[in-house]
Amino acid sequence: MTQEELFKVLVAHCKEYGFIFPSSEIYDGLAAVYDYGQMGVQLKNNIKDYWWEAMTRLNENIVGIDSCVFMHPKTWVASGHVAAFNDPLIDNKDSKKRYRADVLIEDYLAKIEEKIDKEVAKGRKRFGDAFDEAQFRATNPNVLREKAKYDEVHGRYLKAEEANDLGEYKQIILDCGIVCPISGTANWTDVRQFNLMFSTSLSNTGATDDKIYLRPETAQGIFVEYLNVQKTGRMKIPFGIAQIGKAFRNEIVARQFIFRMREFEQMEMEFFCKPGTEMEWFAKWKENRMKWHVNLGMGEENYRFHDHEKLAHYANAATDIEFNFPFGFKELEGIHSRTDFDLGNHQKLSGKKIQYFDPETGESYVPYCVETSIGVDRMTLAVLSHAYTVEKLENGEERVVMKIPAPLAPVKVAVLPLVKKDGLPEIAQKVVDELKYDFSYQYDEKDSIGKRYRRQDAIGTPFCVTIDHDTVSDGTVTVRDRDTMAQERVKIEDLRALIDKKVSLTNLLRNL
Ligand code: GAP
């Protein structure tokens, strides 16, 4: 199965087992908007808990807030979103489909890279152990031709991006012969800027100055509450403010399931520090955030940093943590050193003094800020795509198992009476009563035990507890491990400790 086919299977699995549904599906859905089902919401909440506790409990100097989606319209002028939160869009006149001009060019460049990689793979096959990749790349005529093409287009693209030259974007698309995948034609409109913020009106008068925006990031809620939190919390620099909440972007290219949505959730932390110390904090947060990811056990090799060469005007350092999604390494989290850009601009536009008075040195300054920002939905997709596993069993059958990190699993334990009689359901109920205060659980007495195990594997339940006839006489149950399928006999009173060891969020946090 190709990665693309596998991704389609994953999307279908997420729907079939109650993780994620296309929103308003009975009306044929809404592009790039998804609802979380009974399993998805628990997984998402567990991810949020892991992030929230790691930020606000493990760091004495980080506090959390919950600010509103609606904010004063000047917020978005100060943040630069009104002027510059744009994507360059282009329409194909024949198919009437809309694309991001930069994405069309980047996809074209990615295809050239793919061609080069294929040539290299062919070379490796041909020369075997004697293969010298560096020499091959430097001398093979096909590779050199493709590389020259790549460098030429890439150079033009970077210049166009730097100069915000929309005409040049279109010229590159035409020169490279990039066509619409639907119509197959190059009958393109001019490229124009499209602001990604959704707007609505605060009152029903329809006056244009009533226009307010749905926040495109949660960060600005933190910046406008900086003074309140610093004063009421008597926070001393350096300190951080964390927030989890919804954000909205009118994405032109909405694709790859929950990777890029129009309504999504962010977990953002703004860390305020003394000017001049920001690089030290930037390095610390890079390390801290990577540790948080790797601690989940989804394979260190599946993460990498991508440092930005071209920085946004407000940043003096930026990196992405990329994850190995089924469609390749892509941004999962952004870490930016945002200088005093946001607080400084809010100070200017609001006319309120937003400064920190350092009691030790007697100076006042606008703090600098290092931001860590991760999408909850993108993190959910990382977990789901890594978890999806198809295994061949000894009896020739296949099982689909979601190897979700146990502390994040939606359901931690399934309680299964072997049969629906002989007092076994009654004992199972007692087991449920013993476990339900600590763990999310499912009780299931329908179908064969094998089928019930498969159902739990498909939603990623780390433990299945089976109550059988021996339970009646000796008070022990069978505990089956999701990943190894190994079974052990355990006393009912020992169940809680055994399950907790593997699924506890506390233990996960302790490892950080
Ligand atoms: N405050 C900084 C900020 O918003 P960003 O790189 O635009 O930076 C941060 O977004 C994170 O939010 C991304 O790394 C990604 O995980 C998530 N994100 C951004 N746009 C998204 C979208 N349309 N759908 C889902 N997640 C998104």
Side-chain angles (χ1 to χ4, degrees):
M1 214 184 299
T2 64
Q3 286 302 89
E4 207 174 306
E5 286 161 346
L6 196 73
F7 192 53
K8 276 192 190 147
V9 173
L10 172 70
V11 173
H13 185 89
C14 285
K15 186 173 168 211
E16 187 179 348
Y17 287 94
F19 284 95
I20 297 159
F21 309 124
S23 182
S24 334
E25 202 187 3
I26 56 167
Y27 296 104
D28 295 333
L30 197 60
V33 187
Y34 290 91
D35 293 333
Y36 284 79
Q38 63 281 13
M39 290 303 136
V41 68
Q42 293 189 77
L43 169 61
K44 199 157 87 129
N45 284 343
N46 294 340
I47 289 172
K48 288 194 273 187
D49 285 349
Y50 176 42
W51 185 88
W52 184 261
E53 300 302 346
M55 281 294 175
T56 65
R57 238 199 297 170
L58 301 192
N59 296 286
E60 264 174 46
N61 57 352
I62 296 184
V63 292
I65 63 163
D66 182 16
S67 72
C68 280
V69 166
F70 291 139
M71 299 181 71
H72 193 286
K74 278 190 186 167
T75 308
W76 307 111
V77 178
S79 68
H81 283 81
V82 170
F85 195 50
N86 299 319
D87 277 344
L89 72 81
I90 189 166
D91 291 276
N92 184 271
K93 291 183 199 163
D94 298 322
S95 67
K96 311 270 183 275
K97 288 279 171 202
R98 181 162 288 178
Y99 299 91
R100 263 174 65 174
D102 54 340
V103 171
L104 286 178
I105 300 170
E106 279 169 15
D107 285 352
Y108 175 82
L109 289 169
K111 277 194 194 123
I112 301 182
E113 275 181 324
E114 258 173 47
K115 272 192 200 160
I116 296 176
D117 289 345
K118 271 192 191 148
E119 284 295 335
V120 172
K122 267 201 255 166
R124 184 172 291 113
K125 210 169 158 196
R126 184 146 45 101
F127 296 112
D129 286 345
F131 182 62
D132 178 341
E133 184 172 330
Q135 196 196 355
F136 186 84
R137 282 181 183 270
T139 53
N140 180 277
N142 293 343
V143 171
L144 289 176
R145 194 183 54 246
E146 293 300 327
K147 176 84 174 53
K149 204 195 299 176
Y150 181 95
D151 288 345
E152 196 254 325
V153 176
H154 190 235
R156 282 177 69 188
Y157 172 54
L158 287 185
K159 267 197 206 145
E161 202 185 11
E162 185 82 40
N164 205 8
D165 185 344
L166 301 182
E168 175 66 354
Y169 274 137
K170 180 168 178 186
Q171 202 52 52
I172 296 173
I173 289 172
L174 293 176
D175 292 349
C176 293
I178 298 173
V179 295
C180 164
I182 310 286
S183 67
T185 71
N187 192 7
W188 297 109
T189 63
D190 285 341
V191 178
R192 46 204 195 287
Q193 291 291 17
F194 175 76
N195 194 289
L196 298 187
M197 282 195 293
F198 283 106
S199 64
T200 183
S201 174
L202 198 55
S203 73
N204 54 9
T205 61
T208 45
D209 52 3
D210 278 344
K211 183 160 147 180
I212 55 168
Y213 297 100
L214 272 67
R215 66 179 176 196
E217 62 171 14
T218 62
Q220 295 306 321
I222 296 178
F223 294 125
V224 300
E225 291 303 346
Y226 164 83
L227 273 185
N228 281 332
V229 175
Q230 193 271 318
K231 292 212 165 108
T232 58
R234 295 187 296 134
M235 307 301 290
K236 296 241 168 349
I237 288 235
F239 74 91
I241 305 178
Q243 158 154 251
I244 300 178
K246 288 271 188 178
F248 303 82
R249 294 182 190 179
N250 199 356
E251 300 282 1
I252 303 167
V253 182
R255 58 180 181 186
Q256 286 155 338
F257 195 32
I258 56 170
F259 183 82
R260 196 177 299 285
M261 300 157 87
R262 295 206 160 100
E263 174 179 344
F264 58 101
E265 253 181 309
Q266 288 185 313
M267 306 189 279
E268 300 202 292
M269 193 279 298
E270 308 298 325
F271 194 79
F272 300 102
C273 61
K274 191 172 175 177
T277 64
E278 72 276 10
M279 285 308 166
E280 192 188 315
W281 288 112
F282 178 72
K284 280 201 177 129
W285 280 109
K286 265 179 82 168
E287 190 189 335
N288 181 303
R289 292 302 304 148
M290 187 57 102
K291 218 168 160 191
W292 183 90
H293 286 286
V294 172
N295 190 36
L296 283 170
M298 300 201 296
E300 217 165 321
E301 69 287 0
N302 287 320
Y303 303 89
R304 69 181 187 197
F305 286 114
H306 170 237
D307 294 333
H308 293 203
E309 283 163 29
K310 184 176 174 268
L311 295 170
H313 55 288
Y314 54 79
N316 61 2
T319 195
D320 294 336
I321 294 179
E322 294 187 337
F323 182 74
N324 190 9
F325 288 98
F327 36 84
F329 273 94
K330 288 273 163 3
E331 175 187 343
L332 171 59
E333 168 157 8
I335 301 167
H336 296 99
S337 171
R338 295 180 72 125
T339 67
D340 58 356
F341 175 83
D342 301 273
L343 289 185
N345 276 354
H346 286 305
Q347 176 170 262
K348 259 187 242 151
L349 227 75
S350 67
K352 304 276 179 334
K353 191 172 165 193
I354 307 182
Q355 302 213 347
Y356 178 75
F357 174 72
D358 188 332
E360 276 162 28
T361 62
E363 338 159 49
S364 286
Y365 54 82
V366 178
Y368 267 39
C369 175
V370 173
E371 169 186 82
T372 74
S373 173
I374 172 169
V376 182
D377 312 271
R378 231 173 248 194
M379 184 61 200
T380 306
L381 182 59
V383 170
L384 287 169
S385 57
H386 181 265
Y388 185 85
T389 315
V390 182
E391 282 180 356
K392 263 249 173 312
L393 301 178
E394 275 174 13
N395 63 5
E397 281 177 17
E398 267 187 357
R399 74 160 182 155
V400 174
V401 52
M402 294 298 277
K403 294 191 171 176
I404 297 171
L408 303 184
V411 175
K412 302 293 194 269
V413 55
V415 180
L416 317 169
L418 190 63
V419 288
K420 262 194 276 184
K421 55 184 184 183
D422 305 334
L424 302 192
E426 289 74 13
I427 302 178
Q429 263 317 319
K430 280 195 188 132
V431 172
V432 164
D433 289 340
E434 173 71 20
L435 300 178
K436 70 182 176 192
Y437 299 101
D438 294 295
F439 311 113
S440 52
Y441 73 94
Q442 273 195 352
Y443 174 84
D444 190 0
E445 55 178 27
K446 284 190 206 83
D447 299 322
S448 71
I449 197 73
K451 274 194 183 156
R452 283 182 270 170
Y453 284 159
R454 292 292 161 273
R455 280 204 285 269
Q456 295 303 325
D457 287 345
I459 58 170
T461 307
F463 292 108
C464 287
V465 172
T466 306
I467 288 88
D468 57 22
H469 291 94
D470 287 344
T471 314
V472 182
S473 53
D474 66 7
T476 64
V477 291
T478 300
V479 179
R480 172 192 181 265
D481 182 284
R482 174 195 71 193
D483 299 339
T484 60
M485 292 189 286
Q487 304 194 359
E488 61 176 316
R489 217 55 209 175
V490 176
K491 282 198 175 129
I492 291 176
E493 58 266 33
D494 295 337
L495 268 178
R496 194 147 64 95
L498 181 132
I499 297 168
D500 190 65
K501 210 166 145 198
K502 192 154 173 189
V503 308
S504 135
L505 179 61
T506 311
N507 287 347
L508 188 67
L509 290 166
R510 267 187 215 284
N511 277 340
L512 278 174

Short mmCIF file of all heavy atoms in Angstrom, two decimals, residues 164-213:
data_model
loop_
_atom_site.label_atom_id
_atom_site.label_comp_id
_atom_site.label_asym_id
_atom_site.label_seq_id
_atom_site.Cartn_x
_atom_site.Cartn_y
_atom_site.Cartn_z
N ASN A 164 7.54 40.20 -2.34
CA ASN A 164 6.08 40.11 -2.44
C ASN A 164 5.62 40.44 -3.86
O ASN A 164 4.65 41.18 -4.06
CB ASN A 164 5.46 41.07 -1.42
CG ASN A 164 4.08 40.64 -1.03
OD1 ASN A 164 3.65 39.54 -1.40
ND2 ASN A 164 3.36 41.49 -0.32
N ASP A 165 6.32 39.88 -4.85
CA ASP A 165 6.08 40.21 -6.26
C ASP A 165 5.08 39.20 -6.85
O ASP A 165 5.45 38.12 -7.32
CB ASP A 165 7.44 40.14 -6.99
CG ASP A 165 7.34 40.58 -8.43
OD1 ASP A 165 6.21 40.65 -8.96
OD2 ASP A 165 8.40 40.85 -9.03
N LEU A 166 3.80 39.57 -6.84
CA LEU A 166 2.76 38.63 -7.27
C LEU A 166 2.84 38.34 -8.77
O LEU A 166 2.53 37.24 -9.22
CB LEU A 166 1.38 39.20 -6.91
CG LEU A 166 1.16 39.48 -5.41
CD1 LEU A 166 -0.25 39.99 -5.16
CD2 LEU A 166 1.41 38.25 -4.56
N GLY A 167 3.27 39.37 -9.55
CA GLY A 167 3.42 39.18 -11.00
C GLY A 167 4.45 38.11 -11.29
O GLY A 167 4.26 37.27 -12.19
N GLU A 168 5.54 38.11 -10.52
CA GLU A 168 6.60 37.12 -10.73
C GLU A 168 6.12 35.71 -10.36
O GLU A 168 6.47 34.74 -11.01
CB GLU A 168 7.85 37.53 -9.93
CG GLU A 168 9.01 36.53 -9.97
CD GLU A 168 9.66 36.33 -11.34
OE1 GLU A 168 9.17 36.87 -12.34
OE2 GLU A 168 10.66 35.57 -11.39
N TYR A 169 5.27 35.62 -9.33
CA TYR A 169 4.69 34.30 -9.00
C TYR A 169 4.00 33.72 -10.24
O TYR A 169 4.19 32.58 -10.61
CB TYR A 169 3.64 34.43 -7.90
CG TYR A 169 4.14 34.39 -6.47
CD1 TYR A 169 3.66 35.27 -5.52
CD2 TYR A 169 5.05 33.44 -6.06
CE1 TYR A 169 4.09 35.24 -4.20
CE2 TYR A 169 5.49 33.39 -4.75
CZ TYR A 169 5.01 34.29 -3.82
OH TYR A 169 5.44 34.23 -2.53
N LYS A 170 3.17 34.59 -10.88
CA LYS A 170 2.41 34.09 -12.04
C LYS A 170 3.38 33.72 -13.17
O LYS A 170 3.21 32.67 -13.82
CB LYS A 170 1.42 35.15 -12.53
CG LYS A 170 0.63 34.65 -13.73
CD LYS A 170 -0.53 35.48 -14.10
CE LYS A 170 -1.20 34.89 -15.33
NZ LYS A 170 -2.26 35.73 -15.84
N GLN A 171 4.41 34.56 -13.36
CA GLN A 171 5.36 34.29 -14.45
C GLN A 171 6.06 32.95 -14.22
O GLN A 171 6.26 32.18 -15.16
CB GLN A 171 6.37 35.45 -14.54
CG GLN A 171 7.04 35.56 -15.90
CD GLN A 171 6.04 35.59 -17.06
OE1 GLN A 171 5.12 36.38 -17.06
NE2 GLN A 171 6.22 34.67 -18.02
N ILE A 172 6.42 32.67 -12.96
CA ILE A 172 7.10 31.38 -12.67
C ILE A 172 6.15 30.23 -13.02
O ILE A 172 6.54 29.24 -13.66
CB ILE A 172 7.51 31.28 -11.17
CG1 ILE A 172 8.55 32.36 -10.83
CG2 ILE A 172 8.06 29.90 -10.84
CD1 ILE A 172 8.90 32.45 -9.34
N ILE A 173 4.87 30.39 -12.63
CA ILE A 173 3.89 29.32 -12.90
C ILE A 173 3.78 29.09 -14.41
O ILE A 173 3.77 27.94 -14.88
CB ILE A 173 2.52 29.69 -12.26
CG1 ILE A 173 2.64 29.58 -10.73
CG2 ILE A 173 1.39 28.83 -12.79
CD1 ILE A 173 1.45 30.10 -9.96
N LEU A 174 3.75 30.20 -15.17
CA LEU A 174 3.63 30.06 -16.63
C LEU A 174 4.91 29.48 -17.22
O LEU A 174 4.87 28.54 -18.03
CB LEU A 174 3.33 31.43 -17.26
CG LEU A 174 1.95 32.02 -16.92
CD1 LEU A 174 1.80 33.42 -17.51
CD2 LEU A 174 0.82 31.12 -17.40
N ASP A 175 6.07 30.00 -16.78
CA ASP A 175 7.35 29.53 -17.34
C ASP A 175 7.59 28.05 -17.05
O ASP A 175 8.21 27.35 -17.84
CB ASP A 175 8.52 30.35 -16.76
CG ASP A 175 8.48 31.80 -17.25
OD1 ASP A 175 7.69 32.08 -18.18
OD2 ASP A 175 9.21 32.64 -16.68
N CYS A 176 7.12 27.60 -15.89
CA CYS A 176 7.35 26.19 -15.53
C CYS A 176 6.28 25.27 -16.13
O CYS A 176 6.32 24.05 -15.94
CB CYS A 176 7.35 26.01 -14.01
SG CYS A 176 8.72 26.82 -13.22
N GLY A 177 5.32 25.86 -16.79
CA GLY A 177 4.25 25.05 -17.42
C GLY A 177 3.38 24.36 -16.38
O GLY A 177 2.90 23.24 -16.60
N ILE A 178 3.18 25.01 -15.25
CA ILE A 178 2.35 24.39 -14.19
C ILE A 178 0.89 24.52 -14.60
O ILE A 178 0.41 25.62 -14.91
CB ILE A 178 2.59 25.08 -12.82
CG1 ILE A 178 4.06 24.90 -12.40
CG2 ILE A 178 1.64 24.53 -11.77
CD1 ILE A 178 4.48 25.65 -11.16
N VAL A 179 0.20 23.37 -14.62
CA VAL A 179 -1.21 23.38 -15.05
C VAL A 179 -2.12 22.99 -13.89
O VAL A 179 -1.68 22.40 -12.90
CB VAL A 179 -1.45 22.41 -16.24
CG1 VAL A 179 -0.70 22.86 -17.47
CG2 VAL A 179 -1.08 20.98 -15.86
N CYS A 180 -3.39 23.33 -14.04
CA CYS A 180 -4.39 22.96 -13.03
C CYS A 180 -4.59 21.45 -13.07
O CYS A 180 -4.83 20.89 -14.15
CB CYS A 180 -5.68 23.71 -13.34
SG CYS A 180 -7.12 23.04 -12.48
N PRO A 181 -4.52 20.77 -11.92
CA PRO A 181 -4.69 19.30 -11.94
C PRO A 181 -6.09 18.87 -12.39
O PRO A 181 -6.27 17.74 -12.84
CB PRO A 181 -4.44 18.89 -10.49
CG PRO A 181 -4.12 20.10 -9.73
CD PRO A 181 -4.23 21.31 -10.59
N ILE A 182 -7.07 19.76 -12.30
CA ILE A 182 -8.43 19.39 -12.71
C ILE A 182 -8.63 19.60 -14.21
O ILE A 182 -8.99 18.68 -14.93
CB ILE A 182 -9.50 20.23 -11.93
CG1 ILE A 182 -9.23 20.20 -10.42
CG2 ILE A 182 -10.93 19.79 -12.29
CD1 ILE A 182 -9.55 18.93 -9.71
N SER A 183 -8.36 20.83 -14.69
CA SER A 183 -8.63 21.12 -16.11
C SER A 183 -7.45 20.76 -17.00
O SER A 183 -7.60 20.60 -18.21
CB SER A 183 -8.96 22.60 -16.29
OG SER A 183 -7.80 23.37 -16.00
N GLY A 184 -6.26 20.68 -16.39
CA GLY A 184 -5.06 20.40 -17.19
C GLY A 184 -4.59 21.59 -18.00
O GLY A 184 -3.72 21.46 -18.87
N THR A 185 -5.17 22.78 -17.77
CA THR A 185 -4.77 23.96 -18.56
C THR A 185 -3.97 24.94 -17.71
O THR A 185 -4.00 24.91 -16.49
CB THR A 185 -6.01 24.71 -19.10
OG1 THR A 185 -6.66 25.37 -18.00
CG2 THR A 185 -6.97 23.78 -19.80
N ALA A 186 -3.29 25.85 -18.44
CA ALA A 186 -2.53 26.92 -17.76
C ALA A 186 -3.26 28.26 -17.94
O ALA A 186 -2.63 29.30 -18.05
CB ALA A 186 -1.13 26.98 -18.34
N ASN A 187 -4.58 28.20 -17.99
CA ASN A 187 -5.39 29.40 -18.19
C ASN A 187 -5.63 30.05 -16.81
O ASN A 187 -6.69 29.91 -16.21
CB ASN A 187 -6.70 28.98 -18.87
CG ASN A 187 -7.48 30.16 -19.38
OD1 ASN A 187 -6.99 31.29 -19.35
ND2 ASN A 187 -8.70 29.92 -19.83
N TRP A 188 -4.60 30.77 -16.33
CA TRP A 188 -4.61 31.28 -14.95
C TRP A 188 -5.03 32.75 -14.88
O TRP A 188 -4.76 33.53 -15.78
CB TRP A 188 -3.21 31.17 -14.33
CG TRP A 188 -2.68 29.77 -14.19
CD1 TRP A 188 -1.67 29.21 -14.92
CD2 TRP A 188 -3.11 28.77 -13.26
NE1 TRP A 188 -1.45 27.92 -14.50
CE2 TRP A 188 -2.32 27.62 -13.48
CE3 TRP A 188 -4.09 28.72 -12.27
CZ2 TRP A 188 -2.47 26.45 -12.75
CZ3 TRP A 188 -4.24 27.55 -11.54
CH2 TRP A 188 -3.44 26.44 -11.78
N THR A 189 -5.65 33.13 -13.78
CA THR A 189 -5.90 34.55 -13.49
C THR A 189 -4.60 35.15 -12.95
O THR A 189 -3.63 34.41 -12.73
CB THR A 189 -6.96 34.72 -12.38
OG1 THR A 189 -6.45 34.13 -11.18
CG2 THR A 189 -8.29 34.11 -12.76
N ASP A 190 -4.59 36.45 -12.71
CA ASP A 190 -3.45 37.05 -12.02
C ASP A 190 -3.43 36.55 -10.58
O ASP A 190 -4.46 36.12 -10.04
CB ASP A 190 -3.56 38.58 -12.02
CG ASP A 190 -3.24 39.14 -13.40
OD1 ASP A 190 -2.61 38.41 -14.20
OD2 ASP A 190 -3.66 40.28 -13.69
N VAL A 191 -2.27 36.66 -9.95
CA VAL A 191 -2.16 36.26 -8.54
C VAL A 191 -2.55 37.46 -7.67
O VAL A 191 -2.18 38.60 -7.96
CB VAL A 191 -0.69 35.86 -8.22
CG1 VAL A 191 -0.54 35.49 -6.75
CG2 VAL A 191 -0.26 34.70 -9.10
N ARG A 192 -3.40 37.23 -6.65
CA ARG A 192 -3.72 38.34 -5.75
C ARG A 192 -3.68 37.88 -4.30
O ARG A 192 -3.73 36.68 -4.01
CB ARG A 192 -5.08 38.95 -6.09
CG ARG A 192 -6.15 37.97 -6.30
CD ARG A 192 -7.26 38.56 -7.17
NE ARG A 192 -8.43 37.70 -7.06
CZ ARG A 192 -8.49 36.50 -7.63
NH1 ARG A 192 -7.50 36.04 -8.37
NH2 ARG A 192 -9.56 35.74 -7.46
N GLN A 193 -3.57 38.86 -3.41
CA GLN A 193 -3.46 38.54 -1.99
C GLN A 193 -4.84 38.29 -1.40
O GLN A 193 -5.80 38.96 -1.75
CB GLN A 193 -2.80 39.70 -1.23
CG GLN A 193 -1.33 39.89 -1.54
CD GLN A 193 -0.44 38.77 -1.01
OE1 GLN A 193 -0.90 37.68 -0.68
NE2 GLN A 193 0.86 39.02 -0.96
N PHE A 194 -4.90 37.35 -0.52
CA PHE A 194 -6.18 36.96 0.09
C PHE A 194 -5.96 36.90 1.60
O PHE A 194 -5.12 36.14 2.07
CB PHE A 194 -6.56 35.59 -0.47
CG PHE A 194 -7.79 34.98 0.13
CD1 PHE A 194 -9.06 35.43 -0.23
CD2 PHE A 194 -7.68 33.94 1.03
CE1 PHE A 194 -10.19 34.85 0.31
CE2 PHE A 194 -8.81 33.35 1.58
CZ PHE A 194 -10.06 33.81 1.21
N ASN A 195 -6.71 37.73 2.35
CA ASN A 195 -6.53 37.72 3.81
C ASN A 195 -7.23 36.51 4.41
O ASN A 195 -8.39 36.22 4.08
CB ASN A 195 -7.06 39.02 4.43
CG ASN A 195 -6.58 39.15 5.86
OD1 ASN A 195 -7.01 38.42 6.75
ND2 ASN A 195 -5.63 40.04 6.09
N LEU A 196 -6.53 35.82 5.29
CA LEU A 196 -7.05 34.54 5.81
C LEU A 196 -7.98 34.68 7.00
O LEU A 196 -8.52 33.69 7.48
CB LEU A 196 -5.88 33.66 6.24
CG LEU A 196 -4.88 33.25 5.16
CD1 LEU A 196 -3.89 32.25 5.70
CD2 LEU A 196 -5.58 32.64 3.97
N MET A 197 -8.18 35.93 7.47
CA MET A 197 -9.03 36.06 8.66
C MET A 197 -10.51 36.04 8.28
O MET A 197 -10.93 36.70 7.34
CB MET A 197 -8.71 37.36 9.40
CG MET A 197 -7.45 37.26 10.22
SD MET A 197 -7.31 38.61 11.39
CE MET A 197 -7.08 40.00 10.34
N PHE A 198 -11.29 35.31 9.06
CA PHE A 198 -12.75 35.34 8.90
C PHE A 198 -13.25 36.58 9.64
O PHE A 198 -12.76 36.91 10.72
CB PHE A 198 -13.39 34.13 9.59
CG PHE A 198 -13.27 32.85 8.83
CD1 PHE A 198 -12.39 31.87 9.25
CD2 PHE A 198 -14.06 32.60 7.72
CE1 PHE A 198 -12.29 30.66 8.58
CE2 PHE A 198 -13.97 31.40 7.04
CZ PHE A 198 -13.09 30.44 7.46
N SER A 199 -14.24 37.23 9.08
CA SER A 199 -14.78 38.39 9.80
C SER A 199 -16.28 38.22 10.00
O SER A 199 -16.94 37.48 9.28
CB SER A 199 -14.50 39.68 9.05
OG SER A 199 -15.17 39.66 7.82
N THR A 200 -16.76 38.92 11.00
CA THR A 200 -18.20 38.97 11.23
C THR A 200 -18.49 40.36 11.78
O THR A 200 -17.60 41.21 11.85
CB THR A 200 -18.66 37.84 12.17
OG1 THR A 200 -20.08 37.91 12.29
CG2 THR A 200 -18.05 37.94 13.55
N SER A 201 -19.75 40.60 12.15
CA SER A 201 -20.10 41.93 12.61
C SER A 201 -20.56 41.86 14.06
O SER A 201 -21.28 40.93 14.44
CB SER A 201 -21.21 42.44 11.70
OG SER A 201 -21.67 43.65 12.19
N LEU A 202 -20.16 42.85 14.84
CA LEU A 202 -20.49 42.82 16.26
C LEU A 202 -21.96 43.15 16.50
O LEU A 202 -22.58 42.66 17.42
CB LEU A 202 -19.58 43.81 17.00
CG LEU A 202 -19.44 43.64 18.49
CD1 LEU A 202 -18.98 42.23 18.83
CD2 LEU A 202 -18.43 44.63 19.03
N SER A 203 -22.51 44.03 15.67
CA SER A 203 -23.93 44.36 15.84
C SER A 203 -24.64 44.03 14.54
O SER A 203 -24.05 43.53 13.59
CB SER A 203 -24.08 45.83 16.17
OG SER A 203 -23.83 46.57 14.99
N ASN A 204 -25.92 44.40 14.46
CA ASN A 204 -26.65 44.06 13.23
C ASN A 204 -26.87 45.29 12.36
O ASN A 204 -27.77 45.32 11.54
CB ASN A 204 -27.97 43.36 13.56
CG ASN A 204 -28.79 44.19 14.52
OD1 ASN A 204 -28.42 45.33 14.80
ND2 ASN A 204 -29.86 43.62 15.03
N THR A 205 -26.05 46.34 12.56
CA THR A 205 -26.26 47.54 11.76
C THR A 205 -25.63 47.41 10.37
O THR A 205 -25.99 48.14 9.46
CB THR A 205 -25.62 48.77 12.44
OG1 THR A 205 -24.22 48.52 12.53
CG2 THR A 205 -26.20 49.03 13.81
N GLY A 206 -24.69 46.50 10.25
CA GLY A 206 -24.04 46.30 8.96
C GLY A 206 -22.96 47.35 8.68
O GLY A 206 -22.36 47.35 7.61
N ALA A 207 -22.73 48.28 9.61
CA ALA A 207 -21.71 49.30 9.38
C ALA A 207 -20.34 48.63 9.31
O ALA A 207 -20.08 47.67 10.03
CB ALA A 207 -21.72 50.31 10.53
N THR A 208 -19.46 49.15 8.43
CA THR A 208 -18.17 48.46 8.22
C THR A 208 -17.30 48.55 9.47
O THR A 208 -16.47 47.69 9.72
CB THR A 208 -17.40 49.06 7.03
OG1 THR A 208 -17.47 50.47 7.13
CG2 THR A 208 -17.92 48.55 5.72
N ASP A 209 -17.48 49.62 10.28
CA ASP A 209 -16.62 49.71 11.47
C ASP A 209 -17.08 48.78 12.59
O ASP A 209 -16.52 48.75 13.67
CB ASP A 209 -16.46 51.16 11.96
CG ASP A 209 -17.81 51.84 12.16
OD1 ASP A 209 -18.83 51.15 11.98
OD2 ASP A 209 -17.83 53.03 12.50
N ASP A 210 -18.14 48.01 12.34
CA ASP A 210 -18.57 46.99 13.30
C ASP A 210 -17.81 45.68 13.10
O ASP A 210 -18.01 44.73 13.83
CB ASP A 210 -20.06 46.64 13.10
CG ASP A 210 -20.93 47.66 13.80
OD1 ASP A 210 -20.40 48.39 14.64
OD2 ASP A 210 -22.12 47.69 13.48
N LYS A 211 -17.00 45.65 12.02
CA LYS A 211 -16.37 44.39 11.63
C LYS A 211 -15.40 43.88 12.71
O LYS A 211 -14.54 44.64 13.16
CB LYS A 211 -15.61 44.65 10.34
CG LYS A 211 -14.96 43.46 9.73
CD LYS A 211 -14.70 43.77 8.28
CE LYS A 211 -13.45 43.11 7.78
NZ LYS A 211 -13.21 43.41 6.39
N ILE A 212 -15.59 42.65 13.12
CA ILE A 212 -14.59 42.03 14.00
C ILE A 212 -14.17 40.68 13.40
O ILE A 212 -14.87 40.14 12.55
CB ILE A 212 -15.08 41.84 15.45
CG1 ILE A 212 -16.36 41.04 15.49
CG2 ILE A 212 -15.20 43.15 16.18
CD1 ILE A 212 -16.69 40.58 16.90
N TYR A 213 -13.04 40.20 13.90
CA TYR A 213 -12.47 38.98 13.32
C TYR A 213 -12.57 37.81 14.28
O TYR A 213 -12.57 37.99 15.50
CB TYR A 213 -11.00 39.22 12.98
CG TYR A 213 -10.80 40.29 11.93
CD1 TYR A 213 -10.42 41.58 12.30
CD2 TYR A 213 -11.00 40.01 10.58
CE1 TYR A 213 -10.24 42.56 11.33
CE2 TYR A 213 -10.82 40.99 9.62
CZ TYR A 213 -10.45 42.26 10.00
OH TYR A 213 -10.28 43.23 9.05
#
